[in-house]
């Protein structure tokens, strides 16, 4: 069965960077694009960007361009999302989510979420 | 960017009720709309895609309709497990979510 397992919760100071991982299993890793979506406490869902695990190409939401980097490791079927220059407003649960089809922007499987807390 | 607006923000209903949630897009998105259900502390769950296609394993009491800029999610007879927050999402141009509709027990 398809599973997306994310890294554990983390606390970071303002100005630092965070790197969240998402390990995929139960399907061919390189056949489905992966997205990152975040949710601030008590708020809605916000799309951050997409990575093609096959070639590594990415496309980021304009809001995060310059601060986010998405990468992948095909040997371990893992995608990563790194967010830099953290501020308190980046406190949120970060989800990886599998695109339903190639370059599709809706999602059939989600990770369990990783809480990133930005606090001094 | 395409903006998505859901109404109502909160909906109080009882088990067995028929409920409808509306989602409006700031410009036409054809039928490229999905609906998700989210429970506290959990990831969203895909219910509907392409405006009206039911995801595998989702109960048939859930249905979606619409095209262009106006869409609805209907639950025909509310069950206790349905009390949750619902989000619409457009994927005609990248991805944008609505702000959510919290479905509460009356």
């Amino acid at each position: 069965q398809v599973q997306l397992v994310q890294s554990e919760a983390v606390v970071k100071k303002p100005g630092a960077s965070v790197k969240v991982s998402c390990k995929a299993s139960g399907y061919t890793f390189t056949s489905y694009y992966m997205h990152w979506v975040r949710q601030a406490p008590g708020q809605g869902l916000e799309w951050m960007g997409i990575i093609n695990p096959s070639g590594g190409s990415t496309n980021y939401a304009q809001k995060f361009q310059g601060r986010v980097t998405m990468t992948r490791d095909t040997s371990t079927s893992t995608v990563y999302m790194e967010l830099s220059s953290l501020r308190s407003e980046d406190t949120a649960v970060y989800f990886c989510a599998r695109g339903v089809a190639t370059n599709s922007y809706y999602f059939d499987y989600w990770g369990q979420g990783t809480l990133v807390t930005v606090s001094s | 960017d395409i903006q998505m607006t859901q109404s109502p923000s909160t909906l109080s209903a009882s088990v067995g009720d028929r409920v409808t949630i509306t989602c409006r897009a700031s410009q036409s998105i054809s039928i490229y709309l999905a609906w998700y259900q989210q429970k506290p502390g959990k990831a969203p769950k895909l219910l509907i895609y392409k405006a009206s296609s039911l995801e595998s394993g989702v109960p048939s009491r859930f249905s979606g309709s619409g095209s262009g800029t106006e869409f609805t999610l209907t639950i025909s007879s509310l069950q206790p497990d349905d009390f949750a927050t619902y989000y619409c999402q457009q994927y005609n141009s990248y991805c944008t979510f609505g702000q959510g509709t919290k479905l509460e027990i009356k």
Side-chain angles (χ1 to χ4, degrees):
Chain A
Q1 72 284 19
V2 174
Q3 280 194 304
L4 302 176
V5 179
Q6 298 185 221
S7 48
E8 295 296 314
V10 65
V11 179
K12 292 290 184 180
K13 294 193 183 304
S17 297
V18 67
K19 192 170 186 177
V20 180
S21 67
C22 170
K23 183 174 176 59
S25 61
Y27 70 98
T28 302
F29 176 68
T30 51
S31 295
Y32 294 83
Y33 288 37
M34 197 74 80
H35 301 251
W36 289 89
V37 175
R38 77 176 187 179
Q39 186 171 38
Q43 302 301 308
L45 300 161
E46 182 175 35
W47 179 77
M48 299 181 69
I50 180 176
I51 181 168
N52 175 0
S54 179
S57 60
T58 55
N59 192 357
Y60 304 137
Q62 189 162 7
K63 175 177 179 176
F64 299 102
Q65 283 185 8
R67 278 210 307 146
V68 70
T69 304
M70 296 177 188
T71 56
R72 94 291 189 215
D73 182 342
T74 55
S75 69
T76 60
S77 299
T78 302
V79 295
Y80 300 91
M81 186 284 301
E82 184 169 20
L83 188 63
S84 62
S85 303
L86 290 169
R87 36 210 188 227
S88 59
E89 310 90 86
D90 295 316
T91 294
V93 175
Y94 290 76
F95 294 100
C96 57
R98 192 183 81 163
V100 171
T102 299
N103 206 21
S104 175
Y105 282 62
Y106 71 102
F107 322 116
D108 55 357
Y109 289 93
W110 296 64
Q112 83 275 19
T114 296
L115 175 62
V116 175
T117 303
V118 183
S119 174
S120 55
Chain B
D1 287 7
I2 299 175
Q3 309 301 319
M4 306 299 294
T5 304
Q6 287 181 235
S7 59
S9 296
T10 306
L11 180 56
S12 298
S14 302
V15 172
D17 283 354
R18 178 185 179 91
V19 299
T20 297
I21 299 169
T22 297
C23 180
R24 290 186 172 86
S26 60
Q27 64 190 75
S28 177
I29 58 169
S30 184
I31 58 168
Y32 298 111
L33 185 101
W35 290 95
Y36 298 85
Q37 176 194 69
Q38 188 180 33
K39 296 183 178 179
K42 299 294 187 181
K45 173 187 175 183
L46 178 64
L47 300 175
I48 301 281
Y49 60 96
K50 276 191 182 176
S52 61
S53 295
L54 193 67
E55 173 70 351
S56 176
V58 174
S60 58
R61 63 181 179 273
F62 291 91
S63 63
S65 66
S67 65
T69 62
E70 191 143 338
F71 302 85
T72 59
L73 172 70
T74 299
I75 310 173
S76 60
S77 178
L78 272 174
Q79 299 302 301
D81 191 50
D82 300 338
F83 293 95
T85 299
Y86 293 84
Y87 292 93
C88 63
Q89 179 227 334
Q90 69 82 18
Y91 54 99
N92 181 67
S93 175
Y94 298 109
C95 166
T96 317
F97 293 91
Q99 81 278 16
T101 294
K102 185 175 183 180
L103 181 52
E104 297 180 330
I105 300 174
K106 185 185 283 186

